[in-house]
Amino acid sequence: MEALEEREEVEETAEDAMSLNSSDFLDELSKAVEETSVTSAEYDFDWSSIDTSHLPSSYKTNSRQEKELLQLADHFFQQYSHLCPDRKPLFIHPLNECGVQKFVSTTVKPTLLPFPDLYYWSGCASFVCDYLIMEPLKCPITPPSSLYSPTTILKYQRGNCFDFAVLLCSLLTGAGYDAYCVHGYATLEMCSLDQTHELCPLLRKPPEVPEEEDPNKYRIKYPLDPQSKFELQQKAKKEEETESAQEEEREEEVVMEVGMPKQDPLHGLRVHAWVLVLPGKRKVTEAFFINPFTGNHHSTTDECFLGIESIWNHRNYWVNMQDCRKGCKDLSFDLSDSICWEIMFPKSNEISQSPTESPNKDTDDMKEKGEIDMNFEMPLSWVTQIRISRREYENPFSQGKKVILYDKAKLEKWAAYTNEDGLVERLTVYADSDCTEELEVKEWFKHREDLLYMREVNKQTQLTTDHFRRGHPLLLKAHSYTSLEPETGHTVEFYHTARADGLWKRSENAAEMTEYFVGREDFLHTRHIEFGERDKEMENAGITADANPRPIVQIKEHFHRNPEKPADEDIEERIFMVIDDTIQLTYHLELHDIIASKVVFCRVVGREKREDEIFLSRENTVKYEPWSSEKHKNMLYLYDLLWELRAEQKKLKHHVRASEAEMLNILMVREDEEANVKLSASMYSCAKRGQRQEATVGKLH
């Protein structure tokens, strides 16, 4: 019967095409349908072999209310077919898994599952598209002849677009959303789950907000050169013609080179089902679509959706009476508008608490008058309670992992605890459409004890960046490197609010180290250290780096402005040239200053340097103080300042050595964490708890 119905639908479409004198289109149409039927064979699952003996009686029989509902639905369909003979048949009461006709509204089972993510539409959509395996429709231009219960679909983890939509609508309705299943038409890419020409959602950049420039009303406006309006019009006309010709050539080149899909002969005829969410509940302000195959949010004006036949939820059924020749962009989703939407049971939304039964005579009179019982109460869903165990929720991928191909990108997903390193998601970006040359790889992790949650690898430069959550013992936030060997180029970011010194970033290589600070009381924000080369004789002798440290050549510090000090006493930059024994100070500028005050303490030529000796004279002190105070003219003040700077230089040397030791410790800890990855197991995690039990049993045996 199903094949016969599908063949009749194809024949009806062929008659329409013949009426338009398009025999070529008819040939392409039949050929496309045959090709689709052949390609869908690889997705075939023998649904006739499933065991239905254990299903409850509500799956195998219809109650009195359900039988009455089917009669009213048939009556509505007869009126609809009489008034709209050119419209396709409605999807009203397909067969369920037991071969029993069930009204589509009673197949929706509102359910709220005990998982926090499934309280939001994004979590519900993500779970459905990950948990189920997509099966294409047997005939791409007709709806299926059967619609199984969400419980059966969850058990076998597969289904077509209608199965996806009903399950998602059940979860969204249970979570409090005003959600509806949609029977309509969509593009080939959406119906076949082909995302190879779409940009990966993880690569989409947020829209840039244009900066508003303040117009200058005092700007001088120069007079323009006089030009002929006619010449300008002719020039613009020629430019438009050349641009249109160039665009056509570019489109042809793109189609030939990139391999864009050709025009679909079944465009506008491919049946698809998705979910509509209307505003009014759960703080939804605007209606939107959800494609159940991908879980993505779409605007109701999206050009991928080509038309709507009908929508339904657990309360009612509506038929779209609007023109869909321009797709869904101009549709109104005000379901109370009887001109745009024909409702099947006008007052079924106002369900009374106690069921009311009308006399048989009144029912017969209404049927004779061509009216539907306005007081009809929608029966409860025949589907049993939807249940998902925690183990099933934590491991939604029936084939171990899920792979999604995008335009020049591949996304892989795993369940938690599937990989020993905690990997749950990987995005690979390629340079070409054939996905042969890798550009970048992003990986996401869960449940790692080292709190690593994301890793970015640039395949061109081999630069790796690890990102950590709060709580790492070393207060790490991010770590960029090409190798875990010391002095090979490392950049470490810290959660600075947890550090006493306010350090938020440190970059180090063999020749220099730069530290960045935030929120310090001394207003220090940058410290730059330059190193010299190690003693080669000691290095060749096999002495370790700790015993043969890099000589410190220069230490440069930068400070923010301290408003409590005068500018000529507030240091902006100080440089300690350790090898040359020189200290240079540069002070901040006042508001209208141009040149900053400077003080330089140099080594006295020809005098040996003694430890803890401060020698100050006018020969080794260079001052340029265009706006300096009287303090800088006092030698005693400069002597005390030099004494403080010498003491500060010693502290800085110790700090530099401590920073080097901290970097070595970070590299040792990270190397050990990568070599021995440990995953933290929640007491609620069924998957990890099962792995531990199996490991314990294996050790005992």
Side-chain angles (χ1 to χ4, degrees):
M1 289 295 294
E2 180 179 353
L4 184 60
E5 291 176 0
E6 293 173 357
R7 194 175 303 170
E8 289 175 357
E9 292 293 336
V10 175
E11 291 174 359
E12 289 179 5
T13 309
E15 291 175 2
D16 296 336
M18 289 295 291
S19 63
L20 297 174
N21 298 323
S22 54
S23 58
D24 295 337
F25 173 76
L26 177 60
D27 295 337
E28 293 181 0
L29 181 63
S30 58
K31 184 178 179 181
V33 173
E34 292 177 0
E35 290 178 354
T36 307
S37 301
V38 172
T39 55
S40 65
E42 58 190 49
Y43 297 96
D44 279 348
F45 174 77
D46 189 9
W47 285 101
S48 62
S49 63
I50 64 173
D51 183 17
T52 60
S53 59
H54 64 285
L55 296 177
S57 58
S58 61
Y59 286 60
K60 302 175 182 179
T61 58
N62 283 322
S63 64
R64 182 184 59 80
Q65 274 190 318
E66 288 180 307
K67 292 179 181 178
E68 183 180 354
L69 174 62
L70 293 176
Q71 292 178 359
L72 295 175
D74 287 334
H75 185 65
F76 178 88
F77 178 68
Q78 291 175 4
Q79 290 182 330
Y80 169 79
S81 301
H82 177 72
L83 296 175
C84 306
D86 297 333
R87 293 281 296 269
K88 294 291 185 68
L90 296 176
F91 188 68
I92 297 181
H93 42 55
L95 302 177
N96 69 353
E97 53 265 51
C98 296
V100 179
Q101 278 189 340
K102 295 289 185 178
F103 189 66
V104 289
S105 293
T106 60
T107 308
V108 178
K109 180 69 173 181
T111 304
L112 178 61
L113 295 172
F115 304 106
D117 290 345
L118 299 188
Y119 185 64
Y120 304 94
W121 74 262
S122 57
C124 295
S126 177
F127 172 77
V128 171
C129 70
D130 288 341
Y131 194 79
L132 301 182
I133 298 174
M134 171 264 188
E135 287 187 348
L137 296 174
K138 292 184 178 180
C139 181
I141 60 175
T142 58
S145 59
S146 60
L147 181 66
Y148 292 176
S149 65
T151 54
T152 300
I153 297 301
L154 284 172
K155 179 180 179 180
Y156 295 97
Q157 292 187 249
R158 56 178 60 245
N160 56 43
C161 55
F162 286 84
D163 300 320
F164 275 67
V166 169
L167 175 59
L168 179 56
C169 185
S170 299
L171 298 180
L172 293 175
T173 307
Y177 288 94
D178 191 14
Y180 302 81
C181 299
V182 182
H183 164 212
Y185 306 93
T187 59
L188 170 62
E189 290 76 20
M190 182 163 288
C191 295
S192 59
L193 191 55
D194 181 8
Q195 303 179 77
T196 55
H197 300 288
E198 296 181 9
L199 181 66
C200 178
L202 298 176
L203 298 177
R204 292 174 185 165
K205 297 181 180 179
E208 297 181 358
V209 179
E211 298 181 359
E212 297 182 359
E213 297 182 359
D214 297 332
N216 188 357
K217 62 181 180 180
Y218 299 107
R219 185 181 60 184
I220 299 175
K221 297 182 179 180
Y222 297 96
L224 301 175
D225 296 333
Q227 293 180 340
S228 171
K229 293 184 178 180
F230 177 75
E231 291 180 355
L232 292 175
Q233 291 176 356
Q234 294 298 319
K235 185 178 179 181
K237 186 176 181 181
K238 290 181 180 179
E239 289 180 354
E240 290 180 358
E241 292 176 355
T242 54
E243 286 180 1
S244 60
Q246 290 176 358
E247 286 181 0
E248 291 179 357
E249 292 178 358
R250 289 173 187 169
E251 290 178 358
E252 292 178 358
E253 291 177 358
V254 168
V255 171
M256 296 298 293
E257 295 177 3
V258 182
M260 293 292 287
K262 298 180 180 179
Q263 186 176 3
D264 180 20
L266 299 180
H267 185 77
L269 300 176
R270 293 186 180 272
V271 174
H272 190 55
W274 62 92
V275 172
L276 165 67
V277 180
L278 293 182
K281 295 183 178 180
R282 293 296 307 274
K283 298 181 179 180
V284 176
T285 58
E286 187 178 2
F288 63 92
F289 293 147
I290 303 176
N291 182 13
F293 281 166
T294 61
N296 293 337
H297 167 286
H298 294 269
S299 169
T300 55
T301 60
D302 196 317
E303 295 181 354
C304 294
F305 301 95
L306 305 178
I308 294 178
E309 288 286 355
S310 60
I311 66 174
W312 68 90
N313 63 1
H314 64 296
R315 294 186 181 276
N316 218 318
Y317 189 97
W318 293 262
V319 179
N320 178 32
M321 306 304 293
Q322 303 169 77
D323 188 3
C324 294
R325 281 179 290 185
K326 295 183 180 180
C328 300
K329 62 178 67 176
D330 297 330
L331 296 186
S332 168
F333 291 97
D334 182 9
L335 300 183
S336 62
D337 187 352
S338 59
I339 298 177
C340 298
W341 297 92
E342 184 68 31
I343 189 171
M344 182 173 290
F345 306 110
K347 288 188 178 182
S348 63
N349 284 335
E350 303 175 3
I351 301 177
S352 59
Q353 296 296 327
S354 59
T356 58
E357 299 181 6
S358 57
N360 296 333
K361 182 178 180 181
D362 296 340
T363 303
D364 297 337
D365 293 341
M366 282 190 293
K367 290 180 180 180
E368 292 177 0
K369 294 179 182 180
E371 298 178 356
I372 295 178
D373 187 359
M374 305 294 284
N375 296 323
F376 180 76
E377 179 183 352
M378 181 70 68
L380 296 177
S381 176
W382 54 273
V383 180
T384 57
Q385 187 67 31
I386 298 176
R387 301 182 186 276
I388 299 174
S389 65
R390 180 167 289 275
R391 182 185 296 274
E392 293 171 339
Y393 175 73
E394 292 177 351
N395 187 11
F397 310 112
S398 60
Q399 298 178 346
K401 75 172 186 177
K402 183 176 182 180
V403 180
I404 307 173
L405 298 179
Y406 294 98
D407 181 24
K408 299 181 182 179
K410 179 175 70 173
L411 181 63
E412 301 169 272
K413 294 182 178 182
W414 292 268
Y417 303 108
T418 300
N419 298 310
E420 295 182 354
D421 59 352
L423 179 65
V424 295
E425 199 167 335
R426 178 191 292 140
L427 174 64
T428 307
V429 182
Y430 298 91
D432 56 339
S433 300
D434 296 332
C435 299
T436 57
E437 181 183 355
E438 295 183 356
L439 290 180
E440 184 183 7
V441 176
K442 290 185 179 182
E443 296 177 333
W444 287 265
F445 303 85
K446 279 187 178 181
H447 308 297
R448 286 183 59 133
E449 289 191 355
D450 59 4
L451 301 179
L452 175 70
Y453 73 91
M454 186 174 73
R455 172 173 293 153
E456 299 176 89
V457 182
N458 188 325
K459 290 296 184 177
Q460 305 296 314
T461 62
Q462 298 302 318
L463 179 65
T464 302
T465 303
D466 295 339
H467 299 267
F468 301 85
R469 301 188 188 278
R470 291 182 179 272
H472 193 279
L474 301 178
L475 306 178
L476 298 180
K477 183 178 182 180
H479 179 203
S480 299
Y481 57 93
T482 55
S483 170
L484 290 178
E485 293 295 324
E487 302 174 15
T488 56
H490 297 268
T491 300
V492 180
E493 295 182 21
F494 301 91
Y495 287 99
H496 61 89
T497 55
R499 291 183 64 105
D501 57 357
L503 178 67
W504 76 271
K505 183 179 178 181
R506 179 187 290 134
S507 299
E508 183 197 28
N509 55 34
E512 59 185 2
M513 177 193 295
T514 306
E515 296 178 324
Y516 304 88
F517 301 88
V518 175
R520 286 178 63 107
E521 295 181 356
D522 58 0
F523 296 92
L524 173 67
H525 65 84
T526 307
R527 179 183 291 131
H528 181 75
I529 304 101
E530 294 182 6
F531 298 100
E533 295 183 358
R534 286 190 174 88
D535 189 346
K536 293 184 178 180
E537 294 182 358
M538 298 179 65
E539 192 172 358
N540 294 333
I543 299 176
T544 60
D546 296 337
N548 184 23
R550 294 173 292 179
I552 301 174
V553 176
Q554 176 180 290
I555 302 175
K556 183 188 295 185
E557 294 183 318
H558 295 270
F559 298 84
H560 289 298
R561 180 75 171 90
N562 185 356
E564 297 180 358
K565 291 183 179 181
D568 57 357
E569 296 181 13
D570 188 15
I571 298 174
E572 179 184 11
E573 178 187 74
R574 67 182 183 185
I575 303 174
F576 298 90
M577 301 178 184
V578 180
I579 302 297
D580 298 335
D581 195 17
T582 301
I583 302 176
Q584 178 178 321
L585 303 179
T586 303
Y587 293 87
H588 280 278
L589 292 170
E590 287 286 3
L591 183 61
H592 302 290
D593 290 349
I594 299 175
I595 303 175
S597 299
K598 291 186 179 181
V599 177
V600 181
F601 298 98
C602 304
R603 178 192 295 178
V604 178
V605 179
R607 181 181 176 85
E608 295 183 1
K609 181 182 177 182
R610 299 179 183 178
E611 190 176 358
D612 298 332
E613 181 189 32
I614 302 296
F615 182 80
L616 180 67
S617 67
R618 297 188 183 277
E619 298 177 359
N620 68 335
T621 305
V622 180
K623 298 179 290 181
Y624 182 79
E625 304 162 346
W627 311 101
S628 65
S629 62
E630 293 295 328
K631 291 183 179 181
H632 291 83
K633 300 177 182 179
N634 189 338
M635 292 298 294
L636 181 59
Y637 171 78
L638 294 175
Y639 178 83
D640 293 337
L641 178 61
L642 181 57
W643 184 273
E644 293 176 2
L645 291 174
R646 292 293 186 191
E648 188 67 24
Q649 181 174 325
K650 289 183 179 179
K651 291 181 181 179
L652 287 176
K653 287 182 179 179
H654 290 295
H655 174 80
V656 171
R657 299 307 179 194
S659 298
E660 289 182 287
E662 184 181 14
M663 288 297 294
L664 288 174
N665 183 44
I666 289 174
L667 297 180
M668 290 175 58
V669 171
R670 287 294 302 127
E671 189 173 4
D672 179 67
E673 289 175 344
E674 289 299 323
N676 305 290
V677 177
K678 297 180 181 179
L679 303 181
S680 59
S682 170
M683 62 181 296
Y684 302 104
S685 174
C686 299
K688 190 63 180 176
R689 191 165 62 244
Q691 292 180 8
R692 286 187 171 182
Q693 291 177 356
E694 292 176 1
T696 304
V697 173
K699 289 180 180 180
L700 293 175
H701 291 289

